[in-house]
Amino acid sequence: MFVALDIDKKRVHANNAYVNGDWRCPSCGKLLTYKKGQIRRAYFAHRKSNICTDTWSSGGNNSYDVSDWHNDWQNEYPIENQEIQLTWDSITHRADVLTGRTVIE
């Protein structure tokens, strides 16, 4: 994921994060690990012992497309519209982009 919450519960994009931050998942609130290397772009990941309550990904999929194409399109929108948690009935999902009432995946 590219968006996490900082200690003040403000949304932070991985491009603006730093290694030793206290980053939390916007969906489940559990601690995240910030990953930034020479090959992949910066992103946040759940720690191995944490299972996220995002029922869309925990339904066996557990992976999000982090291709350059995907990230470039997502970044066409402000951070306030990126990776927004939605709940419908018992399903929780982190939408790639939410603008108005429109979800873009």
Side-chain angles (χ1 to χ4, degrees):
M1 82 185 71
F2 296 113
V3 177
L5 301 179
D6 68 10
I7 197 163
D8 297 320
K9 297 186 179 180
K10 292 182 182 174
R11 296 168 54 80
V12 176
H13 194 281
N15 292 340
N16 300 320
Y18 50 89
V19 175
N20 293 323
D22 183 19
W23 311 113
R24 297 206 174 252
C25 175
S27 295
C28 68
K30 294 181 181 171
L31 285 171
L32 300 172
T33 299
Y34 174 66
K35 298 189 175 195
K36 184 176 181 181
Q38 297 295 321
I39 298 173
R40 292 185 176 183
R41 64 179 69 227
Y43 67 100
F44 299 100
H46 283 90
R47 296 182 179 180
K48 291 183 182 187
S49 60
N50 290 346
I51 297 173
C52 185
T53 56
D54 181 343
T55 52
W56 182 272
S57 68
S58 61
N61 181 0
N62 255 345
S63 68
Y64 287 93
D65 181 4
V66 292
S67 69
D68 289 339
W69 178 87
H70 181 264
N71 192 47
D72 290 344
W73 270 105
Q74 193 169 338
N75 285 331
E76 291 293 316
Y77 296 87
I79 190 169
E80 294 81 22
N81 297 92
Q82 295 181 33
E83 297 187 4
I84 304 298
Q85 179 177 324
L86 303 170
T87 302
W88 183 61
D89 288 335
S90 62
I91 299 170
T92 301
H93 174 62
R94 188 172 50 249
D96 292 339
V97 173
L98 177 67
T99 178
R101 294 183 59 178
T102 303
V103 173
I104 302 171
E105 291 293 330

